[in-house]
Amino acid sequence: MKRSINSLLGYIIKGTDGEIGKVDDFYFDDQTSTIRYMVVKTGGWLSEKKVLISPEAFQKLDSESKTLSVYLTQEKIKNSPDIDTDKPVSEQQEELIRGYYAWPGYYGNGMYGHMGLGMWGYPLVEVRETEKKLTKRKAEEHTNDKPHLRSTREVTGYAIHATDGDIGEVEDFIIDNVTWKINFLVVETGNWFSGKKVIISPHWIKEVKWQEQKVTINHSKEQVKNSPKYDSSQPINDSYEHSLNDY
């Protein structure tokens, strides 16, 4: 099912032994457009700490109660590696996180492919001592690697530039909550198209200038303007998605 990232913000995260906190943000991989972590702001029980949780730990998403259950205990969260979520997450930090939670490795093991399978409710296991040493070594190997994870909050507001001019700003993201891939970016066109909202596919992106906070797509303003109308109050169904792709 397709869901809006903004609609998931504020969801209550429930661990196996109690409430952990609320969804505050998401990190996606800027090479595969895949959500790799959810940023959770813990409640008063942990002094407002922010932690990263992979979709591999997700168990059940309940839209009515706006809750998401995960296979994690409060104690596990409490002792997780300290990560500054206000800064880009490095590959070294990611190795530490994945090693701590015993989530499958990333480097050289095709994690992008595993994520594409939608590992919903992946059962957690304790990390053996030898695996901890291996994780530490891998983290040290990637100390100087460039960050590859981006915050959805950070990218919200980025300017969208068509082949012949600006068309608006990133307002939201549409994801598949099975594969956790970003299928579309929601664009608020403002004065450009009289406030019309349009969606664009990550496949249309030609270039992203992170320092300038600008996304360039390989279509003209007119092409975007005439694309199938997007109604943010309605879920994206297969029919709409097919019509957009055909267009």
Side-chain angles (χ1 to χ4, degrees):
M1 181 177 179
K2 304 296 189 298
R3 293 182 183 274
S4 154
I5 281 291
N6 287 347
S7 71
L8 296 175
L9 298 179
Y11 263 50
I12 296 172
I13 303 302
K14 289 186 176 180
T16 57
D17 58 351
E19 185 175 320
I20 292 174
K22 294 183 178 180
V23 180
D24 185 66
D25 196 359
F26 289 88
Y27 277 125
F28 67 93
D29 189 299
D30 61 15
Q31 294 180 324
T32 64
S33 299
T34 302
I35 297 295
R36 289 184 59 88
Y37 299 100
M38 172 176 63
V39 180
V40 178
K41 182 183 292 185
T42 61
W45 67 277
L46 197 54
S47 302
E48 295 292 328
K49 177 180 180 179
K50 289 185 180 180
V51 296
L52 302 182
I53 299 179
S54 168
E56 291 161 79
F58 296 172
Q59 181 181 12
K60 181 182 179 181
L61 184 70
D62 189 330
S63 300
E64 290 189 10
S65 62
K66 294 188 176 181
T67 61
L68 174 59
S69 300
V70 298
Y71 283 115
L72 295 172
T73 64
Q74 290 182 338
E75 188 68 17
K76 195 72 174 178
I77 292 291
K78 182 179 180 180
N79 297 321
S80 63
D82 288 327
I83 302 295
D84 187 350
T85 57
D86 292 327
K87 298 179 181 179
V89 177
S90 69
E91 291 178 347
Q92 179 191 27
Q93 292 171 317
E94 190 176 2
E95 282 285 6
L96 292 174
I97 295 170
R98 303 197 76 81
Y100 173 77
Y101 286 112
W103 292 326
Y106 168 76
Y107 300 101
N109 294 322
M111 173 49 65
Y112 294 138
H114 288 303
M115 288 299 296
L117 296 176
M119 304 181 78
W120 195 260
Y122 192 90
L124 297 182
V125 295
E126 290 299 319
V127 187
R128 296 190 299 272
E129 187 63 30
T130 54
E131 292 174 325
K132 289 182 179 179
K133 292 179 180 179
L134 179 61
T135 296
K136 182 178 180 181
R137 179 175 63 78
K138 285 185 176 181
E140 291 172 348
E141 290 175 357
H142 296 280
T143 299
N144 298 318
D145 288 347
K146 293 182 179 180
H148 61 96
L149 299 181
R150 306 288 175 176
S151 158
T152 54
R153 281 192 183 276
E154 172 200 345
V155 178
T156 299
Y158 273 30
I160 302 294
H161 187 78
T163 56
D164 53 354
D166 292 337
I167 61 171
E169 298 178 345
V170 177
E171 181 183 77
D172 200 354
F173 302 81
I174 304 297
I175 56 99
D176 184 311
N177 69 346
V178 175
T179 64
W180 290 89
K181 294 276 290 187
I182 295 177
N183 294 118
F184 302 103
L185 276 68
V186 179
V187 180
E188 172 58 65
T189 61
N191 295 328
W192 286 277
F193 300 154
S194 301
K196 175 184 178 181
K197 291 183 180 180
V198 297
I199 63 174
I200 63 174
S201 166
H203 297 298
W204 302 353
I205 296 175
K206 179 181 179 181
E207 180 184 23
V208 179
K209 294 184 178 179
W210 302 105
Q211 296 298 325
E212 298 179 23
Q213 300 186 348
K214 183 167 73 174
V215 179
T216 301
I217 62 174
N218 52 13
H219 292 293
S220 68
K221 292 192 292 185
E222 193 67 20
Q223 286 177 310
V224 175
K225 183 178 181 179
N226 294 328
S227 64
K229 183 179 179 181
Y230 168 65
D231 184 353
S232 58
S233 66
Q234 300 295 322
I236 294 179
N237 54 35
D238 291 340
S239 176
Y240 176 82
E241 190 169 357
H242 290 155
S243 66
L244 183 67
N245 290 332
D246 289 343
Y247 173 80

